[in-house]
Amino acid sequence: MRFIFTCLIFLALSCAAFAQQTAKYTIRVIDRSGNATRGSFYAAADDGLTIIRNRKDTLKLSADSISALYIHRKGIAAPLAIAGGLTFFVLAAKSDKLVESVVLIAAGVPVGVSGGILLGGLLSNKKHYKALQAKDFPLIKSNLQKYTVLK
């Protein structure tokens, strides 16, 4: 019983700490030639976008070269996957039968993790902009600024 109580306290504290963080968004930019650039969404302007790529270098993309944007929230799938796996692990620890515990750990934990990843993918609010033109950026700039690091 102490183990389950400790796990529940840990889960509650980690969820409370996770709720304090500001949401970060990743962006995938498709240019006119079909090349994709991925990174963290930094800023939006009338003449283009600024993103931070994985190697921490900043890249400014002009509005003329962008044909599509795909924005989604970062860091929501992993906590739900961990919660799904821990649910079956706690059920296995609560069970009195050894065979039932082994089955719940061997089959339930991967199912819980997969379900958490699927739910996280569905809940990460995604935004798509397709067939963009340079004249569209002043119109969607105010909407894009909700997803940027700079407010």
Side-chain angles (χ1 to χ4, degrees), residues 63-124:
D64 296 330
S65 65
I66 297 173
S67 66
L69 297 174
Y70 300 97
I71 304 168
H72 66 88
R73 186 173 174 181
K74 195 165 132 177
I76 195 167
L80 290 175
I82 291 169
L86 280 177
T87 302
F88 282 99
F89 186 76
V90 168
L91 289 174
K94 195 174 181 182
S95 176
D96 294 334
K97 299 176 185 174
L98 180 63
V99 174
E100 185 177 329
S101 295
V102 170
V103 168
L104 279 173
I105 289 175
V109 171
V111 168
V113 169
S114 301
I117 290 173
L118 178 67
L119 186 63
L122 293 174
L123 291 179
S124 66

Side-chain angles (χ1 to χ4, degrees), residues 11-66:
L11 191 62
L13 287 175
S14 64
C15 287
F18 180 70
Q20 301 283 330
Q21 296 176 352
T22 59
K24 294 180 181 157
Y25 295 90
T26 58
I27 186 168
R28 183 170 51 127
V29 179
I30 310 293
D31 61 4
R32 301 267 180 231
S33 62
N35 296 329
T37 304
R38 293 186 171 119
S40 297
F41 197 13
Y42 185 69
D46 288 339
D47 60 343
L49 302 173
T50 305
I51 63 172
I52 301 172
R53 295 188 3 186
N54 295 336
R55 292 177 294 237
K56 306 295 183 200
D57 55 337
T58 305
L59 181 66
K60 177 124 173 97
L61 300 170
S62 68
D64 296 330
S65 65
I66 297 173

